[in-house]
Amino acid sequence: MAATTFEMDGSIMEGGGQILRVSTALSCIQGASIKINNVRAGRSTPGLRPQHLSGLELVRDLCAGHLEGGEVGSTEITLTTGKIKGGDYTADTKTAGSVVLLMQVSLPCVLFADSPSVLCLKGGTNAEMAPQIDYTLTVFKPMVERFGVNFDCDLKMRGYYPKGGGEIIVKTNPVKQLTPVTLTERGTITKIYGRAFVAGVLPHKLAKDMSAAAVRYIRKEIKDLYINIQAVREKKDESFGNGNGIILIAESSTGCVFAASALGKKGVYADKVGCEAAEMLLRNTRHNGCVDEYMQDQMIIFMALANGTSRIRTGPLTLHTQTAIHVAEQLTKAKFTVTKAEDQDSNEDTHIIECQGIGMTNASL
């Protein structure tokens, strides 16, 4: 099927796995082949890690494609794509590699399949250097549903570093086209809530300490707001291994959702973990944007594929977002513009990302 072949330099800008995910998904959706060299050249361990390889193999399977260079450590890959078919698929990193990043590369593809899909994704659910599964459920899901995306995500088992062992089931229905999104009114923050968790042999006190520290930190800046951060112990039959962390969510009067999270590490005080997440959340509410810094880059691929003009109000552009825009413009005819917001609610960090999407159509529907 693949008549067009794209080429991408994996060392540019962010220089990591994100270039791989966005490039692969956009190629698959457009029925083009892609050759990526210098894979993850910007990382301390360049080349494919198990999680990236699992993601590539999953996309290959979704479109009955062919993958060259598909081994751990490989710095050059070529994916030849075919027609995206619905059905049941499994991807297992066999490590604590993030299930959320597996979903990030595969979800856009299955939206353009010929029938519904069920993805069983295995690895880490609450892992470093990736969104936590709680983020996906509370922030990512409602945000991408604005584009007309329809999916369910069932958390079967939580898995932590270093063992992994987590599992999610993602069920999707294909779309004919994605709808453009306008998100330019932030409104006021109306509530903050979240969960601090421990799993395995770790004491419940850690969760209580993370929660209390986060509330204290937020209260210094925001005095009179409803804040509810639960301290929980994960059920033994719903989590694999030991782990602790916290996720904080803020909602605005216009329905915008922001989140921040932090994971516990050996030798790091629980209070510090709670404060780290709290500072991250506050930082993402100060710029008066409508998405946080972690959702920002995840919107780009959907904006590029949507049928019409999307406008999103954000804080400072992250390197991940700049990279996603670059890749989307290289591989599609989408056109992005970034301008400083200039209204009474903006500050020097407030930006508007606008995109004229390509109106990708699902030929199978």
Side-chain angles (χ1 to χ4, degrees), residues 48-138:
L48 296 177
R49 304 304 304 147
Q51 161 218 306
H52 307 104
L53 179 57
S54 302
L56 285 171
E57 290 172 341
L58 175 58
V59 173
R60 175 200 66 194
D61 295 347
L62 293 174
C63 66
H66 177 69
L67 176 65
E68 291 172 40
E71 56 261 349
V72 171
S74 173
T75 56
E76 186 172 302
I77 66 104
T78 303
L79 178 70
T80 310
T81 62
K83 188 172 158 49
I84 307 170
K85 293 200 173 299
D88 292 19
Y89 298 93
T90 299
D92 185 354
T93 66
K94 298 185 171 63
T95 64
S98 169
V99 295
V100 174
L101 296 182
L102 290 178
M103 188 174 106
Q104 220 177 73
V105 69
S106 56
L107 178 66
C109 301
V110 291
L111 295 175
F112 293 90
D114 59 358
S115 61
S117 303
V118 179
L119 309 175
C120 175
L121 309 177
K122 300 178 181 183
T125 58
N126 299 77
E128 285 284 5
M129 305 302 291
Q132 294 192 37
I133 187 60
D134 309 79
Y135 183 95
T136 302
L137 296 171
T138 52

Coordinates of all heavy atoms in Angstrom, one line a residue, residues 48-138:
L48 N 16.7 2.0 20.2 CA 15.4 1.5 20.7 C 15.6 0.9 22.0 O 16.5 0.1 22.3 CB 14.8 0.5 19.7 CG 14.4 1.0 18.3 CD1 13.9 -0.3 17.5 CD2 13.3 2.0 18.4
R49 N 14.7 1.3 23.0 CA 14.5 0.5 24.2 C 13.4 -0.4 24.1 O 12.6 -0.3 23.1 CB 14.3 1.5 25.4 CG 15.4 2.6 25.6 CD 16.8 2.1 25.8 NE 16.9 1.1 26.9 CZ 17.7 0.1 26.9 NH1 18.5 -0.2 25.8 NH2 17.8 -0.7 27.9
P50 N 13.2 -1.4 25.0 CA 12.1 -2.4 24.8 C 10.7 -1.7 24.6 O 9.9 -2.2 23.8 CB 12.1 -3.1 26.1 CG 13.5 -3.1 26.6 CD 14.0 -1.7 26.1
Q51 N 10.5 -0.6 25.3 CA 9.2 0.1 25.2 C 8.9 0.6 23.8 O 7.9 0.5 23.2 CB 9.1 1.2 26.2 CG 8.1 2.2 26.0 CD 8.6 3.6 26.3 OE1 9.0 3.8 27.5 NE2 8.6 4.5 25.4
H52 N 10.0 1.2 23.2 CA 9.9 1.8 21.8 C 9.7 0.7 20.8 O 8.9 0.8 19.9 CB 11.1 2.6 21.5 CG 11.4 3.6 22.5 ND1 12.5 3.5 23.4 CD2 10.9 4.8 22.8 CE1 12.5 4.6 24.2 NE2 11.5 5.4 23.8
L53 N 10.4 -0.4 21.0 CA 10.3 -1.6 20.1 C 8.9 -2.2 20.1 O 8.3 -2.5 19.1 CB 11.4 -2.6 20.4 CG 11.4 -3.9 19.6 CD1 11.5 -3.6 18.1 CD2 12.5 -4.8 20.0
S54 N 8.4 -2.3 21.4 CA 7.0 -2.8 21.5 C 6.0 -1.9 20.8 O 5.1 -2.4 20.1 CB 6.6 -2.9 23.0 OG 7.5 -3.7 23.7
G55 N 6.2 -0.6 20.9 CA 5.3 0.3 20.2 C 5.4 0.2 18.7 O 4.3 0.2 18.0
L56 N 6.6 0.1 18.2 CA 6.8 -0.1 16.7 C 6.1 -1.4 16.2 O 5.5 -1.4 15.2 CB 8.3 -0.1 16.4 CG 9.0 1.3 16.4 CD1 10.5 1.1 16.2 CD2 8.5 2.2 15.3
E57 N 6.4 -2.5 17.0 CA 5.8 -3.8 16.6 C 4.3 -3.7 16.6 O 3.6 -4.4 15.8 CB 6.3 -4.9 17.5 CG 7.8 -5.1 17.3 CD 8.5 -6.1 18.3 OE1 7.9 -6.2 19.4 OE2 9.5 -6.6 18.0
L58 N 3.7 -3.0 17.6 CA 2.3 -2.9 17.7 C 1.7 -2.2 16.5 O 0.7 -2.6 15.8 CB 1.9 -2.1 19.0 CG 0.4 -1.8 19.2 CD1 -0.4 -3.0 19.2 CD2 0.2 -1.0 20.5
V59 N 2.3 -1.0 16.1 CA 1.9 -0.3 14.9 C 2.0 -1.2 13.6 O 1.2 -1.2 12.8 CB 2.6 1.0 14.7 CG1 2.3 1.7 13.4 CG2 2.3 1.9 15.9
R60 N 3.2 -1.9 13.5 CA 3.4 -2.8 12.4 C 2.2 -3.8 12.3 O 1.7 -4.1 11.3 CB 4.7 -3.6 12.6 CG 5.0 -4.7 11.6 CD 6.0 -5.7 12.1 NE 5.5 -6.4 13.2 CZ 6.2 -7.2 14.1 NH1 7.5 -7.2 13.9 NH2 5.7 -7.8 15.1
D61 N 1.8 -4.4 13.5 CA 0.7 -5.4 13.5 C -0.6 -4.8 13.2 O -1.4 -5.4 12.5 CB 0.6 -6.0 14.9 CG 1.9 -6.8 15.3 OD1 2.7 -7.1 14.4 OD2 2.1 -7.2 16.5
L62 N -0.8 -3.5 13.6 CA -2.1 -2.9 13.4 C -2.4 -2.7 11.9 O -3.5 -2.8 11.4 CB -2.2 -1.5 14.0 CG -2.1 -1.3 15.5 CD1 -2.0 0.1 15.9 CD2 -3.4 -2.0 16.1
C63 N -1.3 -2.5 11.1 CA -1.5 -2.2 9.7 C -0.8 -3.3 8.8 O -0.6 -3.1 7.6 CB -0.9 -0.9 9.3 SG 0.9 -0.8 9.5
A64 N -0.6 -4.5 9.4 CA 0.0 -5.7 8.6 C 1.2 -5.2 7.8 O 1.4 -5.5 6.7 CB -1.1 -6.3 7.7
G65 N 2.0 -4.4 8.5 CA 3.2 -3.8 7.9 C 4.5 -4.7 8.0 O 4.4 -5.8 8.5
H66 N 5.6 -4.0 7.7 CA 6.9 -4.7 7.8 C 7.9 -3.8 8.5 O 8.0 -2.6 8.1 CB 7.4 -5.1 6.4 CG 8.7 -5.8 6.4 ND1 9.0 -7.0 6.9 CD2 9.9 -5.3 5.9 CE1 10.2 -7.3 6.8 NE2 10.8 -6.3 6.2
L67 N 8.6 -4.3 9.5 CA 9.5 -3.5 10.2 C 11.0 -4.0 10.1 O 11.2 -5.2 10.3 CB 9.2 -3.5 11.7 CG 10.1 -2.8 12.7 CD1 10.1 -1.3 12.5 CD2 9.7 -3.1 14.2
E68 N 11.8 -3.1 9.6 CA 13.3 -3.4 9.6 C 14.0 -2.7 10.7 O 13.7 -1.5 11.0 CB 13.8 -3.0 8.2 CG 13.3 -3.9 7.0 CD 13.8 -3.3 5.7 OE1 15.0 -2.8 5.6 OE2 13.0 -3.3 4.8
G69 N 15.0 -3.3 11.2 CA 15.8 -2.7 12.3 C 15.1 -2.8 13.6 O 15.4 -2.0 14.6
G70 N 14.2 -3.7 13.8 CA 13.4 -3.9 15.0 C 14.1 -4.7 16.0 O 13.7 -5.8 16.3
E71 N 15.1 -4.2 16.6 CA 15.7 -4.8 17.8 C 16.2 -3.8 18.8 O 16.5 -2.6 18.4 CB 16.8 -5.8 17.4 CG 18.0 -5.2 16.7 CD 17.9 -5.5 15.2 OE1 17.0 -6.3 14.8 OE2 18.7 -4.9 14.4
V72 N 16.3 -4.2 20.1 CA 16.7 -3.2 21.1 C 18.1 -2.7 20.8 O 19.0 -3.5 20.4 CB 16.7 -3.9 22.5 CG1 17.3 -3.0 23.6 CG2 15.2 -4.2 22.9
G73 N 18.3 -1.4 20.9 CA 19.6 -0.8 20.6 C 19.7 -0.3 19.2 O 20.6 0.5 18.8
S74 N 18.8 -0.7 18.3 CA 18.8 -0.3 16.9 C 18.7 1.3 16.8 O 17.8 1.9 17.4 CB 17.7 -1.0 16.1 OG 17.7 -0.4 14.8
T75 N 19.5 1.9 15.9 CA 19.4 3.4 15.7 C 18.8 3.8 14.4 O 18.7 4.9 14.1 CB 20.8 4.0 15.9 OG1 21.7 3.4 14.9 CG2 21.3 3.9 17.3
E76 N 18.4 2.7 13.6 CA 17.7 3.0 12.3 C 16.6 2.0 12.1 O 16.9 0.8 12.2 CB 18.8 3.0 11.2 CG 18.2 3.4 9.9 CD 19.2 3.5 8.8 OE1 20.2 4.3 9.0 OE2 19.1 2.8 7.8
I77 N 15.4 2.5 11.8 CA 14.3 1.6 11.5 C 13.6 2.0 10.2 O 13.6 3.2 9.9 CB 13.3 1.6 12.7 CG1 12.6 2.9 12.9 CG2 14.0 1.1 14.0 CD1 11.2 3.0 12.3
T78 N 13.0 1.1 9.6 CA 12.1 1.4 8.4 C 10.8 0.6 8.6 O 10.9 -0.6 8.9 CB 12.8 0.9 7.1 OG1 14.0 1.6 7.0 CG2 11.9 1.3 5.9
L79 N 9.7 1.3 8.6 CA 8.4 0.7 8.7 C 7.7 0.9 7.4 O 7.4 2.0 7.0 CB 7.6 1.3 9.9 CG 6.2 0.8 10.1 CD1 6.2 -0.7 10.6 CD2 5.4 1.6 11.0
T80 N 7.3 -0.3 6.8 CA 6.4 -0.2 5.6 C 5.0 -0.5 6.1 O 4.8 -1.5 6.8 CB 6.9 -1.3 4.6 OG1 8.3 -1.2 4.4 CG2 6.2 -1.1 3.3
T81 N 4.1 0.3 5.8 CA 2.7 0.2 6.3 C 1.7 -0.4 5.3 O 2.0 -0.3 4.1 CB 2.2 1.6 6.8 OG1 2.1 2.4 5.7 CG2 3.1 2.2 7.8
G82 N 0.7 -0.9 5.9 CA -0.4 -1.4 5.0 C -1.7 -0.8 5.5 O -1.7 0.3 6.1
K83 N -2.8 -1.5 5.3 CA -4.2 -1.0 5.7 C -4.4 -1.3 7.2 O -4.1 -2.3 7.7 CB -5.2 -1.8 4.9 CG -6.6 -1.2 5.0 CD -7.5 -2.0 3.9 CE -8.9 -2.0 4.2 NZ -9.6 -0.8 4.5
I84 N -4.9 -0.3 7.9 CA -5.1 -0.4 9.4 C -6.4 -1.2 9.6 O -7.5 -0.9 9.1 CB -5.2 1.0 10.1 CG1 -4.0 1.8 9.7 CG2 -5.3 0.8 11.6 CD1 -4.1 3.3 10.2
K85 N -6.2 -2.3 10.3 CA -7.3 -3.2 10.6 C -7.7 -3.3 12.0 O -6.8 -3.3 12.9 CB -7.0 -4.7 10.1 CG -6.9 -4.8 8.6 CD -7.0 -6.2 8.2 CE -7.0 -6.4 6.6 NZ -8.1 -5.6 6.0
G86 N -9.0 -3.2 12.3 CA -9.5 -3.4 13.7 C -9.2 -4.8 14.2 O -8.8 -5.6 13.4
G87 N -9.5 -5.0 15.5 CA -9.3 -6.4 16.0 C -8.7 -6.3 17.4 O -8.6 -5.2 18.0
D88 N -8.2 -7.4 17.9 CA -7.5 -7.5 19.2 C -6.0 -7.6 19.0 O -5.5 -8.4 18.2 CB -8.0 -8.8 19.9 CG -9.5 -8.7 20.3 OD1 -10.2 -7.9 19.7 OD2 -9.9 -9.5 21.2
Y89 N -5.3 -6.7 19.7 CA -3.9 -6.7 19.7 C -3.3 -6.6 21.1 O -3.9 -6.1 22.0 CB -3.4 -5.4 18.9 CG -3.9 -5.4 17.5 CD1 -5.1 -4.8 17.1 CD2 -3.2 -6.0 16.4 CE1 -5.6 -4.7 15.8 CE2 -3.6 -6.0 15.1 CZ -4.8 -5.3 14.8 OH -5.3 -5.3 13.5
T90 N -2.1 -7.2 21.2 CA -1.4 -7.2 22.5 C 0.0 -6.6 22.3 O 0.7 -7.0 21.3 CB -1.3 -8.6 23.1 OG1 -2.6 -9.0 23.4 CG2 -0.5 -8.5 24.4
A91 N 0.5 -5.7 23.2 CA 1.9 -5.3 23.2 C 2.4 -5.4 24.6 O 1.7 -4.9 25.5 CB 2.0 -3.8 22.7
D92 N 3.5 -6.0 24.8 CA 4.1 -6.2 26.1 C 5.5 -5.7 26.1 O 6.4 -6.3 25.4 CB 4.0 -7.7 26.5 CG 4.4 -8.0 27.9 OD1 4.9 -7.0 28.6 OD2 4.2 -9.1 28.4
T93 N 5.9 -4.7 26.9 CA 7.2 -4.2 27.0 C 8.1 -5.2 27.8 O 9.3 -5.2 27.6 CB 7.3 -2.9 27.7 OG1 7.0 -3.0 29.1 CG2 6.4 -1.8 27.1
K94 N 7.5 -6.1 28.6 CA 8.2 -7.0 29.4 C 9.2 -6.3 30.4 O 10.1 -6.9 31.0 CB 9.0 -8.1 28.6 CG 8.0 -9.0 27.8 CD 8.8 -10.1 27.1 CE 7.8 -11.0 26.4 NZ 7.0 -10.4 25.3
T95 N 9.0 -5.0 30.6 CA 9.8 -4.2 31.5 C 8.8 -3.3 32.2 O 7.6 -3.4 32.1 CB 10.8 -3.4 30.8 OG1 10.1 -2.4 29.9 CG2 11.7 -4.2 29.9
A96 N 9.3 -2.2 32.8 CA 8.4 -1.2 33.4 C 8.2 -0.1 32.3 O 7.7 1.0 32.7 CB 9.0 -0.6 34.7
G97 N 8.5 -0.3 31.1 CA 8.3 0.6 30.0 C 6.8 1.0 30.0 O 5.9 0.1 30.2
S98 N 6.5 2.2 29.7 CA 5.2 2.8 29.9 C 4.1 2.3 28.9 O 4.3 2.4 27.7 CB 5.3 4.3 29.7 OG 4.0 4.9 29.7
V99 N 3.0 1.8 29.5 CA 1.8 1.4 28.7 C 1.2 2.6 28.1 O 0.6 2.6 27.0 CB 0.8 0.6 29.5 CG1 1.3 -0.7 30.0 CG2 0.3 1.4 30.7
V100 N 1.3 3.8 28.8 CA 0.8 5.0 28.3 C 1.4 5.5 27.0 O 0.8 5.9 26.0 CB 0.8 6.2 29.3 CG1 0.4 7.5 28.8 CG2 0.0 5.8 30.6
L101 N 2.8 5.3 26.9 CA 3.5 5.6 25.7 C 3.1 4.6 24.5 O 3.1 5.0 23.4 CB 5.0 5.7 25.9 CG 5.4 6.8 26.9 CD1 6.9 6.9 27.0 CD2 4.9 8.2 26.4
L102 N 2.8 3.4 24.9 CA 2.3 2.4 23.9 C 1.0 2.9 23.3 O 0.7 2.8 22.1 CB 2.2 1.0 24.5 CG 3.4 0.2 24.9 CD1 3.0 -1.1 25.5 CD2 4.3 0.0 23.6
M103 N 0.2 3.4 24.2 CA -1.1 3.9 23.8 C -1.0 5.2 22.9 O -1.7 5.4 22.0 CB -2.0 4.2 25.0 CG -3.4 4.6 24.6 SD -4.4 4.8 26.1 CE -4.6 6.5 26.1
Q104 N 0.0 6.0 23.3 CA 0.3 7.3 22.6 C 0.6 7.0 21.1 O 0.1 7.8 20.2 CB 1.5 8.0 23.2 CG 1.3 9.5 23.3 CD 2.5 10.1 24.0 OE1 3.6 10.2 23.5 NE2 2.3 10.6 25.2
V105 N 1.3 5.9 20.8 CA 1.7 5.7 19.4 C 0.5 4.9 18.6 O 0.3 5.1 17.4 CB 3.0 4.9 19.3 CG1 2.9 3.4 19.8 CG2 3.5 4.9 17.8
S106 N -0.3 4.1 19.4 CA -1.3 3.3 18.7 C -2.6 3.9 18.6 O -3.4 3.6 17.6 CB -1.3 1.9 19.4 OG -1.6 2.1 20.8
L107 N -3.1 4.7 19.6 CA -4.4 5.2 19.6 C -4.7 6.0 18.3 O -5.8 5.8 17.7 CB -4.7 6.1 20.8 CG -6.1 6.7 20.9 CD1 -7.2 5.7 21.1 CD2 -6.2 7.7 22.1
P108 N -3.9 7.0 17.9 CA -4.2 7.7 16.6 C -4.4 6.8 15.4 O -5.3 7.0 14.6 CB -3.0 8.6 16.4 CG -2.4 8.8 17.8 CD -2.6 7.5 18.4
C109 N -3.7 5.7 15.4 CA -3.7 4.7 14.3 C -5.1 4.0 14.2 O -5.7 3.9 13.2 CB -2.6 3.7 14.3 SG -1.0 4.4 14.3
V110 N -5.5 3.5 15.4 CA -6.7 2.6 15.4 C -8.0 3.5 15.2 O -9.0 2.9 14.8 CB -6.9 1.8 16.7 CG1 -5.8 0.7 16.7 CG2 -6.8 2.6 18.0
L111 N -7.9 4.8 15.3 CA -9.0 5.7 15.0 C -9.3 5.6 13.5 O -10.4 5.9 13.1 CB -8.7 7.1 15.4 CG -8.5 7.4 16.9 CD1 -8.1 8.8 17.1 CD2 -9.8 7.1 17.7
F112 N -8.3 5.3 12.7 CA -8.5 5.2 11.3 C -8.5 3.7 10.8 O -8.2 3.5 9.6 CB -7.4 6.0 10.6 CG -7.6 7.5 10.9 CD1 -7.0 8.1 12.0 CD2 -8.4 8.3 10.1 CE1 -7.2 9.5 12.2 CE2 -8.6 9.6 10.4 CZ -8.0 10.2 11.4
A113 N -8.9 2.8 11.7 CA -9.0 1.4 11.3 C -10.4 1.2 10.6 O -11.2 2.1 10.6 CB -8.9 0.5 12.6
D114 N -10.6 0.0 10.1 CA -11.8 -0.4 9.4 C -12.9 -0.9 10.4 O -14.1 -1.0 10.0 CB -11.5 -1.4 8.3 CG -10.9 -2.7 8.9 OD1 -10.7 -2.8 10.1 OD2 -10.7 -3.6 8.1
S115 N -12.6 -1.1 11.6 CA -13.5 -1.6 12.6 C -13.0 -1.4 14.0 O -11.8 -1.0 14.2 CB -13.8 -3.1 12.4 OG -12.6 -3.8 12.5
P116 N -13.8 -1.6 15.1 CA -13.3 -1.4 16.4 C -12.1 -2.2 16.8 O -11.8 -3.3 16.2 CB -14.5 -1.8 17.3 CG -15.7 -1.6 16.4 CD -15.2 -2.0 15.1
S117 N -11.3 -1.7 17.7 CA -10.1 -2.4 18.2 C -10.0 -2.5 19.7 O -10.6 -1.7 20.4 CB -8.8 -1.5 17.8 OG -8.8 -1.3 16.4
V118 N -9.4 -3.6 20.1 CA -9.1 -3.8 21.6 C -7.6 -4.0 21.7 O -7.0 -4.9 21.1 CB -9.9 -5.0 22.1 CG1 -9.5 -5.2 23.6 CG2 -11.4 -4.9 21.9
L119 N -7.0 -3.1 22.5 CA -5.5 -3.1 22.7 C -5.2 -3.6 24.1 O -5.7 -2.9 25.0 CB -4.9 -1.8 22.4 CG -5.2 -1.1 21.1 CD1 -4.6 0.3 21.1 CD2 -4.8 -1.9 19.9
C120 N -4.5 -4.6 24.3 CA -4.1 -5.1 25.6 C -2.6 -4.7 25.7 O -1.7 -5.2 25.0 CB -4.2 -6.6 25.7 SG -3.5 -7.2 27.3
L121 N -2.3 -3.7 26.6 CA -1.0 -3.1 26.7 C -0.4 -3.4 28.1 O -1.0 -3.1 29.1 CB -1.1 -1.6 26.5 CG -1.8 -1.1 25.2 CD1 -1.9 0.4 25.1 CD2 -1.2 -1.7 23.9
K122 N 0.8 -3.9 28.1 CA 1.4 -4.4 29.3 C 2.8 -3.8 29.6 O 3.6 -3.6 28.6 CB 1.6 -5.9 29.3 CG 0.3 -6.7 29.1 CD 0.6 -8.2 29.0 CE -0.8 -9.0 28.8 NZ -0.5 -10.4 28.8
G123 N 3.1 -3.4 30.8 CA 4.3 -2.8 31.2 C 4.2 -2.0 32.5 O 3.5 -2.4 33.4
G124 N 4.7 -0.8 32.5 CA 4.6 0.1 33.7 C 3.4 1.0 33.5 O 3.2 1.6 32.4
T125 N 2.6 1.2 34.6 CA 1.4 2.1 34.5 C 1.8 3.4 35.2 O 1.2 4.5 34.8 CB 0.2 1.5 35.2 OG1 0.5 1.2 36.6 CG2 -0.3 0.3 34.5
N126 N 2.7 3.4 36.1 CA 3.1 4.6 36.9 C 4.6 4.6 36.8 O 5.3 4.1 37.7 CB 2.6 4.5 38.3 CG 1.0 4.5 38.4 OD1 0.4 3.5 38.1 ND2 0.4 5.6 38.7
A127 N 5.1 5.1 35.7 CA 6.6 5.0 35.4 C 7.2 6.4 35.2 O 6.5 7.3 34.9 CB 6.8 4.2 34.1
E128 N 8.5 6.5 35.5 CA 9.2 7.7 35.3 C 9.2 8.1 33.8 O 9.2 7.2 32.9 CB 10.6 7.6 35.8 CG 10.8 7.6 37.3 CD 10.6 9.0 37.9 OE1 10.3 9.9 37.2 OE2 10.8 9.1 39.1
M129 N 9.4 9.4 33.5 CA 9.6 9.8 32.1 C 8.4 9.5 31.2 O 8.6 9.3 30.0 CB 10.9 9.2 31.5 CG 12.1 9.4 32.3 SD 12.5 11.2 32.6 CE 12.9 11.7 30.9
A130 N 7.2 9.4 31.8 CA 6.0 9.2 31.0 C 4.8 9.6 31.8 O 4.9 9.6 33.0 CB 5.9 7.7 30.6
P131 N 3.7 9.9 31.2 CA 2.5 10.2 31.9 C 2.0 9.0 32.8 O 2.2 7.9 32.3 CB 1.4 10.6 30.9 CG 2.2 10.8 29.6 CD 3.5 10.0 29.7
Q132 N 1.6 9.2 34.0 CA 1.0 8.1 34.8 C -0.4 7.8 34.2 O -1.0 8.6 33.6 CB 0.9 8.5 36.2 CG 2.2 8.7 36.9 CD 2.2 8.8 38.4 OE1 1.4 8.2 39.0 NE2 3.0 9.7 39.0
I133 N -0.8 6.5 34.4 CA -2.1 6.1 33.8 C -3.2 6.9 34.4 O -4.2 7.2 33.7 CB -2.3 4.6 34.1 CG1 -3.6 4.1 33.4 CG2 -2.4 4.3 35.6 CD1 -3.6 4.2 31.9
D134 N -3.1 7.4 35.6 CA -4.1 8.3 36.2 C -4.2 9.6 35.4 O -5.3 10.1 35.3 CB -3.7 8.6 37.7 CG -3.4 7.3 38.5 OD1 -2.2 6.8 38.3 OD2 -4.2 6.9 39.2
Y135 N -3.1 10.1 34.9 CA -3.1 11.3 34.1 C -3.9 11.0 32.8 O -4.8 11.8 32.3 CB -1.7 11.7 33.7 CG -1.6 12.9 32.9 CD1 -1.4 14.2 33.5 CD2 -1.8 12.9 31.5 CE1 -1.4 15.3 32.8 CE2 -1.8 14.1 30.8 CZ -1.6 15.3 31.4 OH -1.6 16.5 30.7
T136 N -3.7 9.8 32.2 CA -4.4 9.4 31.0 C -5.9 9.4 31.2 O -6.6 9.9 30.3 CB -3.9 8.1 30.5 OG1 -2.5 8.1 30.3 CG2 -4.5 7.6 29.2
L137 N -6.3 8.9 32.3 CA -7.7 8.7 32.5 C -8.4 10.0 32.9 O -9.5 10.3 32.5 CB -7.9 7.7 33.7 CG -7.5 6.3 33.4 CD1 -7.5 5.4 34.6 CD2 -8.3 5.6 32.3
T138 N -7.7 10.9 33.6 CA -8.4 12.1 34.1 C -8.2 13.3 33.3 O -9.0 14.2 33.3 CB -7.9 12.5 35.6 OG1 -6.4 12.5 35.6 CG2 -8.4 11.5 36.6

